[in-house]
Amino acid sequence: MRGKKSLLGLVSVMLCFFVMGFVDLVGIASNYVKEDLQLSNSVANVLPSLVFFWFLFFSIPTSMLMNRIGRKKTVLVSLVVTLLALCLPMFGDSFPVMLAAFSLLGIGNAIMQTSLNPLTMVVAGSVNFASTLTFGQFVKAIASFLAPFLASWGATWLLPQSGLGWRMLFAVYLVVCILSTVLLWSVRIKEQPTEEHVTSLASTMRLFGNPVVLLSFLCIVCHVGIDVGTNTTAPKLLMERLGLDLCDAGFATSLYFVFRTTGCLTGSFLLYSLRTRTFFLISVLMLATAMLGMCFAKESWMLYAAIALAGYGNSNIFPICFAHAVQSVPGKQNEVSGLMIMGLFGGAVFPLLMGLASDATGQAGAVGVMMLGVLYLLTYTNRLR
């Protein structure tokens, strides 16, 4: 019976990771909104930036909330906010509606990412934490991978019948989010009491005095900036250089997530056999090669290869950095988790800079912004034990 409860707890957590992946629909969704409303690159990139903007403000308060109500209840709060975000696009696709939906999606995801990762440690144990977190990223990537297909399917086949078009993906993910909420609510997960002495913003921010925490935070800023940037820019690259329309170019986002999904799955096994530093370095070198390809390639196969390499190379950066930071301060895991998830704010900074660069110089300029993040990741390699 105990093993059955543990398995059910793990399944409920993995389904939450799937819901966490909904945040990646902002890449393909922003492209459809750009096309529907005839927006510029810089204005369209406000949407993914807005999603990740909220990580700056909600991550640390969420870590404090976990200390008060527990990790499971905090994840349930995030699921409810995500449900509201997924409902809004059912009522229209105007820019204000999409801004509100993307804001709620960002808030819900900020709360979820801060609380779900520590909850995973409760369910999986500290010994298997890094590999379980990597497998969770694999499950999350499945949701990310499906989003462009669902959007294309809705835009191509369902527009006359439903009136939703590409927004059908919100309806599908809404159903999954409801199932995840019910399952997690019904499962009993025993949590250890948390320390009560860390309750203020100032005391949590002081954890940046730990070099591992600070450098890991910057690592996550760059990782998420590259992730959201590639997610958003890959279709634009194919449209700019190959002359494809959005429905066909949306395949680039799916390709990225196919290889990111594959990387998460294989990474959970490779981390058992390779040194963390070696595996991280290989991943960063893949990213560097991918950026060069996206910047200069003009042939379709080279662009596809670069996008795929970016997906695989970026797939395991987050769990390695997150686990490294959390395990460096064992007594304050909730607070460190909040700081690390605040690093997802990089998903707000990078697209804004990339939008400005692409309006000025084309999509190669956007790739150049991501390359700066790759260079930082390369310097982080020597910090890993």
Side-chain angles (χ1 to χ4, degrees), residues 109-173:
N109 209 264
I111 299 172
M112 182 178 294
Q113 296 224 35
T114 306
S115 54
L116 184 58
N117 292 314
L119 184 63
T120 303
M121 181 176 286
V122 174
V123 175
S126 58
V127 174
N128 299 317
F129 179 47
S131 59
T132 305
L133 198 60
T134 301
F135 187 77
Q137 293 296 309
F138 160 69
V139 176
K140 173 180 178 286
I142 295 175
S144 307
F145 155 71
L146 291 175
F149 285 112
L150 291 172
S152 178
W153 175 54
T156 305
W157 300 104
L158 296 178
L159 183 57
Q161 293 84 353
S162 68
L164 288 176
W166 66 269
R167 288 176 291 128
M168 180 57 66
L169 72 92
F170 287 94
V172 174
Y173 281 173

Side-chain angles (χ1 to χ4, degrees), residues 83-354:
L83 283 171
L84 294 175
L86 295 171
C87 286
L88 281 180
M90 303 296 105
F91 301 101
D93 61 349
S94 67
F95 197 62
V97 169
M98 299 311 295
L99 284 175
F102 280 33
S103 292
L104 286 173
L105 187 63
I107 293 169
N109 209 264
I111 299 172
M112 182 178 294
Q113 296 224 35
T114 306
S115 54
L116 184 58
N117 292 314
L119 184 63
T120 303
M121 181 176 286
V122 174
V123 175
S126 58
V127 174
N128 299 317
F129 179 47
S131 59
T132 305
L133 198 60
T134 301
F135 187 77
Q137 293 296 309
F138 160 69
V139 176
K140 173 180 178 286
I142 295 175
S144 307
F145 155 71
L146 291 175
F149 285 112
L150 291 172
S152 178
W153 175 54
T156 305
W157 300 104
L158 296 178
L159 183 57
Q161 293 84 353
S162 68
L164 288 176
W166 66 269
R167 288 176 291 128
M168 180 57 66
L169 72 92
F170 287 94
V172 174
Y173 281 173
L174 177 63
V175 174
V176 178
C177 192
I178 293 172
L179 292 175
S180 178
T181 305
V182 172
L183 181 59
L184 182 63
W185 177 79
S186 63
V187 172
R188 292 187 62 184
I189 299 176
K190 186 177 180 181
E191 301 181 40
Q192 295 294 326
T194 56
E195 298 182 20
E196 295 291 338
H197 65 276
V198 179
T199 56
S200 70
L201 175 63
S203 58
T204 302
M205 294 295 289
R206 278 198 292 270
L207 292 172
F208 276 135
N210 183 320
V212 174
V213 174
L214 177 60
L215 296 175
S216 298
F217 167 81
L218 295 175
C219 184
I220 289 176
V221 168
C222 294
H223 154 72
V224 178
I226 295 166
D227 187 57
V228 178
T230 306
N231 185 5
T232 305
T233 301
K236 296 175 184 176
L237 275 172
L238 299 188
M239 294 168 70
E240 179 183 271
R241 298 183 189 175
L242 303 181
L244 301 181
D245 61 31
L246 182 54
C247 283
D248 292 331
F251 170 72
T253 301
S254 293
L255 179 66
Y256 172 77
F257 284 115
V258 164
F259 278 86
R260 186 178 149 186
T261 304
T262 304
C264 289
L265 180 61
T266 56
S268 61
F269 297 102
L270 289 172
L271 280 170
Y272 279 112
S273 55
L274 287 176
R275 293 176 62 199
T276 302
R277 182 184 296 174
T278 301
F279 184 66
F280 190 88
L281 177 60
I282 292 172
S283 298
V284 176
L285 291 176
M286 286 182 177
L287 278 175
T289 305
M291 294 303 124
L292 291 173
M294 286 193 286
C295 191
F296 298 109
K298 295 183 180 179
E299 298 293 330
S300 59
W301 70 269
M302 294 179 69
L303 285 170
Y304 287 133
I307 293 167
L309 201 58
Y312 196 94
N314 208 28
S315 58
N316 295 288
I317 301 296
F318 177 83
I320 292 174
C321 296
F322 186 92
H324 187 50
V326 169
Q327 292 173 343
S328 69
V329 191
K332 301 177 182 178
Q333 293 170 348
N334 287 351
E335 290 76 13
V336 174
S337 174
L339 292 175
M340 292 304 102
I341 299 306
M342 191 171 72
L344 272 67
F345 177 67
V349 177
F350 273 65
L352 288 177
L353 297 176
M354 292 168 65

